[in-house]
Amino acid sequence: MSKNKINIIHSTFVPLNIENVDTDQIIPARFLKGTTRDGFGKNLFRDWRYENDDDSKPKKDFVLNQSEYKGQILVAGKNFGCGSSREHAAWAIHDAGFTAVVSSFFADIFKNNALNNGVLPVTVSEAFLKQIFEQANNAILTINLPDQTITIDATGEKESFEINNYKKECLLNGYDDIDYLLSIMNDIEIFESA
Amino acid sequence: MAKTLFEKIWDKHIVKKIEGGPSVLYIDKHLIHEVTSPQAFAGIEKRGLQIFRPKQIVATADHNVPTLNQHLPIKEKLSRQQVDTLIKNCTNHHIELFGLGHPYQGIVHVIGPELGITQPGMTIVCGDSHTSTHGAFGAIAFGIGTSEVEMVFATQCLLQSKPKQMRININGSLKKGVLAKDIVLYILSKISASGATGYAVEYAGDTIRNLSMEGRMTVCNMSIEMGARCGLIAPDETTFKYIHGRAFAPNGEGWIKALQYWKTLYSDDNVVFDKEINIDAADISPMITYGTNPGMGIGVNENVPTANAMAESDRASFVKAMDYMGIAPGAAIKGQKVDYVFIGSCTNSRIEDLRLVSDFVKGKHKAPQVEVWIVPGSKQVEQQAIEEGIDKIFEEAGFQLRQPGCSACLGMNEDKIPAGKYCISTSNRNFEGRQGAGARTLLASPLSAAAAAITGYVTDVSKMLQ
């Protein structure tokens, strides 16, 4: 089943300068009761966004409530996405309009979940992350997946990032892992009977 | 070539390797529950696919179920829908379901081992990060997302990159009042909540060898809190004895054959790990967390650190955590008052945990202002507790014995800790809002939690033991 394709992302970003952002913050457990993949974006960072769980009382100091911050790229402190394996976290981020998350370190399961949902996790050095956080709120980042680079447009500072070739092809073409696995069913059945 | 325990199991399950990419890993057992499976069922139905190997899947309802009056329909509409969807999906796709009302129902990571479904040498996955628990039997077991649940439904395989290899050796005798939970909280306090990201962690050494299977499960359970892909312990006589005779364990000829294979599952003597850590068991005290990730733990007699003691990059997070917790940096943690005590979760809700707690509280009574919830990990644990008279001891102590489920570990059902209240909890995560919006969680062992239930504040349990 094809997913959204990613090639070059050229966008302003939302800075979330917090470390160890766990998936319970990204989407609290009480919002995991859905049986479809839709609609999780409105509860993204729910308890950091609203006072007393009340939609009508946004917390002014939280970035997602500040109109000067917007864009397709979320930039966060190290160890982003730790904790629960809930894919709802990746769905919520995608549903809220993000196509890439930049951090100096990602938790394993979140990284896989993001990749499986057309959200590109971009791992940068601590120093580069710091430079991004120092940019003005309308600064633009360019994430070039074919070249595997991320650039701060205003300064021209550039860093390359890792992604395995298989996953890169999947994102560029909108393929998913099931398409691939179904294409090797014969190998799987041979493995089983061995 | 010398191999680690992990590598022996991994290599045996590789269907093929993609050039410059991940490997195709075959999955032996797939455990599912109501929260992370519905979208995966919908996914394969949308693709017009069948479940490839339904007999290798076992389902239960745990995350979202009430822990009181389980015989009545679930009151909350969305929770009921999710549990009903699981029943419908399992019926339509011929999957064995140990749902509400079934004598095998319980927390997925408690029932797998308890029923003998979890066995050495297996690859086991579940849409839940605490799947690492099953590694205690010498299996590769890890949590996956819902897209991956769908992959396993469709093909019984996953695309995985091989993690690096870490071994944590723990040797020596544990001090009085120190349990498996304290071991893993101690490791976390040393290596941090991201210290094992990218690694499979094997726990070894005589301290681990001397743990019961329940204790080993507690340690492996929290591997994910260090960021590890999985945690493992080489199977031994303790493992084999635990599995023997359980409902889904091999028997007769099958048992002899299985045992032969299981005995080959250990890291070779001369194998080199990417990282190795040594810990002296005597250094471990009863542990407690003070912050908002499981790496923020200290010995119960220590003081909470101050911002100055932190690396500069960690200070902002530390200040945020202390503010959330309402705990003063530099203060003693002992004496911190508690409002709730939660003994349960896939970390510490097994019969051994309940026995330890009941032995300790026998003849004592909880502090008047504290509410104490004991949530058994499964119907079988609950039944066993009743047969052993543990329920009576809890009742006399003012502890409420509830029915099995994930409960206040993540507060998906109505078992939530109110905002601002302190809960000493035997679960695995002290994240902001984990036990309810605004709830403040202190992670500890079942004994430490029981001690706080009696005194009403954080207490050094070792001083209360004869």
Side-chain angles (χ1 to χ4, degrees):
Chain A
M1 209 185 302
S2 80
K3 305 268 176 188
N4 61 305
K5 297 179 187 177
I6 295 181
N7 198 297
I8 293 171
I9 304 167
H10 185 72
S11 169
T12 52
F13 65 94
V14 176
L16 185 65
N17 195 354
I18 301 173
E19 294 179 354
N20 299 310
V21 174
D22 59 77
T23 52
D24 274 83
Q25 306 318 313
I26 300 173
I27 181 105
R30 62 187 188 280
F31 300 109
L32 305 185
K33 296 184 185 187
T35 51
T36 68
R37 289 172 182 243
D38 312 316
F40 291 100
K42 65 176 188 292
N43 294 318
L44 176 68
F45 295 115
R46 176 80 190 192
D47 291 333
W48 285 352
R49 251 163 106 180
Y50 303 108
E51 296 286 354
N52 305 322
D53 205 8
D54 183 346
D55 301 39
S56 67
K57 290 185 192 152
K59 294 182 183 174
K60 289 199 182 71
D61 59 350
F62 188 64
V63 280
L64 287 182
N65 296 328
Q66 295 169 347
S67 58
E68 62 267 40
Y69 294 112
K70 48 187 167 296
Q72 288 179 56
I73 303 170
L74 179 66
V75 182
K78 74 171 181 218
N79 201 24
F80 185 82
C82 57
S84 157
S85 61
R86 60 190 68 164
E87 192 164 312
H88 312 65
W91 298 337
I93 287 172
H94 186 263
D95 194 40
F98 294 106
T99 46
V101 184
V102 178
S103 176
S104 56
F105 196 92
F106 287 95
D108 248 6
I109 304 178
F110 175 80
K111 199 174 181 175
N112 275 338
N113 287 341
L115 286 165
N116 285 332
N117 285 282
V119 174
L120 176 64
V122 177
T123 308
V124 297
S125 67
E126 279 293 340
F128 195 81
L129 188 69
K130 196 159 170 253
Q131 284 184 41
I132 299 176
F133 283 131
E134 284 164 0
Q135 298 303 307
N137 54 26
N138 56 356
I140 290 179
L141 303 178
T142 301
I143 297 170
N144 185 317
L145 178 59
D147 287 352
Q148 295 180 220
T149 57
I150 173 168
T151 309
I152 302 171
D153 284 20
T155 63
E157 283 291 327
K158 188 192 266 195
E159 201 170 84
S160 50
F161 62 87
E162 295 282 322
I163 181 169
N164 74 53
N165 285 335
Y166 166 82
K167 272 294 171 195
K168 184 171 162 179
E169 285 303 310
C170 285
L171 288 173
L172 287 170
N173 298 298
Y175 298 155
D176 74 9
D177 287 356
I178 297 190
D179 296 330
Y180 173 77
L181 288 169
L182 288 171
S183 77
I184 61 156
M185 283 312 281
N186 202 24
D187 293 315
I188 296 171
E189 287 184 78
I190 290 168
F191 175 89
E192 282 186 321
S193 57
Chain B
M1 210 185 80
K3 287 181 180 180
T4 65
L5 165 62
F6 178 93
E7 288 166 336
K8 285 182 181 175
I9 304 168
W10 176 267
D11 290 351
K12 226 174 167 332
H13 288 82
I14 297 301
V15 176
K16 71 184 280 183
K17 178 144 181 26
I18 303 173
E19 197 66 42
S23 294
V24 178
L25 184 73
Y26 189 82
I27 303 303
D28 295 317
K29 279 288 169 226
H30 186 190
L31 308 171
I32 64 170
H33 61 83
E34 74 277 23
V35 177
T36 58
S37 67
Q39 295 87 351
F41 279 110
I44 59 155
E45 284 168 6
K46 198 169 157 199
R47 290 172 200 257
L49 297 170
Q50 298 290 316
I51 299 240
F52 180 51
R53 294 290 180 242
K55 288 197 164 30
Q56 285 166 242
I57 308 172
V58 175
T60 192
D62 57 0
H63 280 64
N64 220 340
V65 301
T67 56
L68 292 174
N69 296 317
Q70 284 184 348
H71 63 288
L72 298 175
I74 300 175
K75 276 190 235 150
E76 215 260 330
K77 186 175 157 233
L78 290 174
S79 299
R80 190 174 64 243
Q81 262 173 11
Q82 222 172 28
V83 171
D84 287 348
T85 303
L86 180 72
I87 296 169
K88 184 194 79 184
N89 282 329
C90 288
T91 309
N92 290 349
H93 294 277
H94 314 289
I95 291 168
E96 180 124 55
L97 168 66
F98 302 136
L100 277 184
H102 194 286
Y104 289 165
Q105 181 266 339
I107 304 175
V108 63
H109 310 309
V110 174
I111 69 168
E114 169 180 273
L115 294 170
I117 295 167
T118 304
Q119 294 167 21
M122 280 182 167
T123 48
I124 302 171
V125 295
C126 173
D128 186 281
S129 60
H130 293 107
T131 308
S132 59
T133 312
H134 307 263
F137 291 79
I140 293 181
F142 55 95
I144 57 177
T146 299
S147 293
E148 293 171 311
V149 170
E150 191 179 334
M151 289 172 212
V152 183
F153 278 169
T155 69
Q156 206 58 36
C157 287
L158 279 176
L159 291 167
Q160 287 284 309
S161 301
K162 190 183 152 194
K164 289 182 281 183
Q165 305 290 302
M166 184 191 294
R167 181 159 61 188
I168 302 181
N169 305 295
I170 306 136
N171 286 291
S173 304
L174 292 169
K175 288 192 289 201
K176 195 167 66 173
V178 175
L179 304 180
K181 180 63 163 286
D182 299 302
I183 298 177
V184 73
L185 286 175
Y186 180 83
I187 297 171
L188 269 154
S189 75
K190 293 293 169 201
I191 72 169
S192 91
S194 59
T197 304
Y199 289 91
V201 177
E202 180 176 343
Y203 303 94
D206 58 41
T207 315
I208 295 292
R209 288 276 142 251
N210 289 331
L211 289 178
S212 64
M213 286 317 296
E214 286 84 353
R216 294 179 191 186
M217 284 188 255
T218 300
V219 173
C220 287
N221 173 275
M222 290 190 74
S223 303
I224 184 65
E225 309 313 333
M226 308 163 202
R229 180 83 59 83
C230 63
L232 307 84
I233 294 171
D236 58 11
E237 287 304 323
T238 306
T239 321
F240 309 145
K241 216 179 274 172
Y242 179 97
I243 299 171
H244 191 71
R246 291 186 184 262
F248 294 86
N251 50 36
E253 277 297 306
W255 173 259
I256 294 165
K257 215 175 134 208
L259 206 55
Q260 222 167 23
Y261 169 51
W262 295 349
K263 287 183 174 172
T264 67
L265 296 172
Y266 51 83
S267 289
D268 293 326
D269 278 346
N270 47 348
V271 72
V272 178
F273 283 78
D274 297 299
K275 191 169 183 179
E276 199 137 13
I277 294 172
N278 294 302
I279 288 171
D280 184 349
D283 291 341
I284 308 173
S285 301
M287 296 287 294
I288 183 123
T289 65
Y290 59 87
T292 54
N293 78 55
M296 301 172 89
I298 48 176
V300 67
N301 294 308
E302 291 173 52
N303 289 352
V304 175
T306 58
N308 290 338
M310 302 278 144
E312 203 193 321
S313 63
D314 293 337
R315 277 181 204 158
S317 299
F318 173 78
V319 170
K320 187 175 188 298
M322 292 300 93
D323 187 43
Y324 180 85
M325 291 298 292
I327 288 177
I333 194 75
K334 207 164 59 178
Q336 166 66 49
K337 79 161 182 117
V338 300
D339 307 295
Y340 286 79
V341 177
F342 173 60
I343 297 175
S345 88
C346 56
T347 316
N348 282 117
S349 63
R350 298 181 177 82
I351 189 66
E352 182 184 272
D353 299 313
L354 269 52
R355 282 183 191 138
L356 265 169
V357 172
S358 78
D359 283 350
F360 175 77
V361 302
K362 196 168 185 180
K364 300 186 179 78
H365 198 273
K366 75 174 182 72
Q369 75 281 15
V370 178
E371 187 153 347
V372 186
W373 297 339
I374 312 262
V375 180
S378 70
K379 286 307 275 184
Q380 294 207 84
V381 171
E382 181 190 19
Q383 191 54 38
Q384 183 82 29
I386 293 168
E387 277 167 25
E388 294 180 18
I390 290 174
D391 58 331
K392 296 281 181 312
I393 295 171
F394 287 156
E395 205 183 315
E396 282 159 20
F399 291 16
Q400 188 180 33
L401 180 64
R402 295 189 160 215
Q403 291 171 303
C406 298
S407 181
C409 173
L410 82 168
M412 262 198 93
N413 68 354
E414 46 283 274
D415 305 349
K416 292 179 175 60
I417 308 303
K421 298 290 183 193
Y422 290 90
C423 177
I424 187 165
S425 175
T426 67
S427 56
N428 38 58
R429 290 190 173 133
N430 50 355
F431 297 152
E432 284 183 34
R434 171 82 178 179
Q435 297 196 287
R440 292 156 161 172
T441 304
L442 308 159
L443 300 176
S445 79
L447 271 184
S448 293
I454 304 302
T455 60
Y457 48 83
V458 174
T459 304
D460 179 358
V461 67
S462 66
K463 301 271 172 12
M464 294 174 77
L465 297 167
Q466 283 107 24

